[in-house]
Amino acid sequence: MGMTLAKSWRALCALALLAPLAAQQIVLPSLRERHASAAVDSMDWFVSGFEVVEAGLQWDLAAALKDAQEVWSSVRPSSPPGTGSAAAALAALACVRLEGPVAAKAWSERVGVMPETASPLVRAYYHLAMARLLCVQGLHAQELRDSIPGQACADQVGSYGLRLRAAITTMKATPQRSLVAFRRLLDEALAGPDAAEIELFRPWLWIEEVQLAFGDGRLDDARRLLGLIETAGRRDGNRLTLAIALSMRASLARRVGDIGDARELMEAALATYTALGDLKDMAGCDDAMARLASDRDEYDLAREFLDRGDGRIRDRGFTLVQDELLKTRFRLAVREHDGDAAAALQDELDRRAGQVAADDKKLAEVRASLAKAEEDRAAAERQLQAEHAEADRHRADTRIVGLLATGCVLAAFAWSSWRARRRLQAANRALATQVREVRRAKREQAALEARMRQLERAESLGTLAAGIAHEIGRAHV
């Protein structure tokens, strides 16, 4: 069996070399160039550093941890508030996947408290890193307390990249409703100027749709989507999505009874997770391969895989993975009819199940409070919309009344003006008549005066003629 594992391991290493580097050779260097060209200690310097770490989380966890540590060590008192906490949270996230929760504890303690003066941009990076850190450790109830504020901060910032990353992180709260929102946001972002960059988020949508297809029994749809995810992962150089696609394809192959194909796909997934450095999922692949070996009654090989998985995560704090390995050991003991081993493993699983039940109860309580908060918010939004609609109707009514009042005033003014114009026109006509009468009277008076002057002259002439005649008559006498 040891030789079988060695051969498998050589195959895994060979498969790891097949993962393309093209996209990451473009994305990471461009991010590093932007980071190097930014003014040290500026907001752009820290944000570009955070993005370098985020890219590394999907390609090389060791490099991501190193980059996060360098950003964290560069924080000064003059640095933007909260950048130290955000950098420590990203370092803890890389460390927990690379080395386990125990090793990441030192980074978690450096996170500290996010200051109130931190910008929404820094808060978004911090909360989303903390939510994923808690998710890896299986602390899903606490995870929601960071993922929801992270979504709110990302929405406030408005960056599509941050908003999509936040949507992926909050998917666990309300999976189907969150998936609809994520699909709508992705379509909106793809219509913008950064479509090429946003396209890198599409495989995460397909991953969620594959899980729904699995649940609904739509295996052909799941197979088609997994092909798209694998193609995109190889094209983009995203080892994380590529490994997820390969492990899901292995689960699909096992579901339809093709154990040989399932084992090859799981070996490829393990090789990809190994290249990424994701210790938790490497152990998860060991567990899956043990179950595949058990399906073929290869019990010794199954125990080798389980021992290898235990060796990876022993004393590292991966509680959930340890639980899965124990369950596989229990099923293996049952198949081998080893009652004593099965009873001991069942006791250990029962002991662990008590803690899991308590955690599940907390998670249910958090989800219930989240659902109530969403209902309250929805009710408040409906009330606000109703108030806005009422206000709009009131404004519309006010405008109508104002328009009517203005119309009445204008009509009254127009009527008054019309009557005034009529009176003025009548007065002007009367005045014109009077002027004509005066002018006619003046003309008649002038004519009478001229006639009187003529009569006076005639009378004077008559008087003069009479006087002359009298004088002539008296001369004759």
Side-chain angles (χ1 to χ4, degrees), residues 22 36 87 141 143 157 167 175 201 214 269 286 306 337 423 426:
E143 171 195 349
V157 172
F201 287 93
F214 272 155
D286 288 330
L306 290 172
H337 306 290
R423 288 196 296 269

Side-chain angles (χ1 to χ4, degrees), residues 53 60-70 91-92 94-95 98-99 107:
V53 176
D60 187 340
L61 291 173
L65 177 57
K66 180 181 178 182
D67 290 326
Q69 184 174 359
E70 289 179 355
C95 187
L98 183 67
E99 301 175 8
W107 279 109

Side-chain angles (χ1 to χ4, degrees), residues 17-39:
L17 297 176
L18 296 177
L21 307 180
Q24 291 299 333
Q25 287 176 341
I26 297 173
V27 174
L28 272 173
S30 63
L31 288 172
R32 293 187 187 281
E33 182 179 354
R34 174 191 166 192
H35 180 59
S37 62

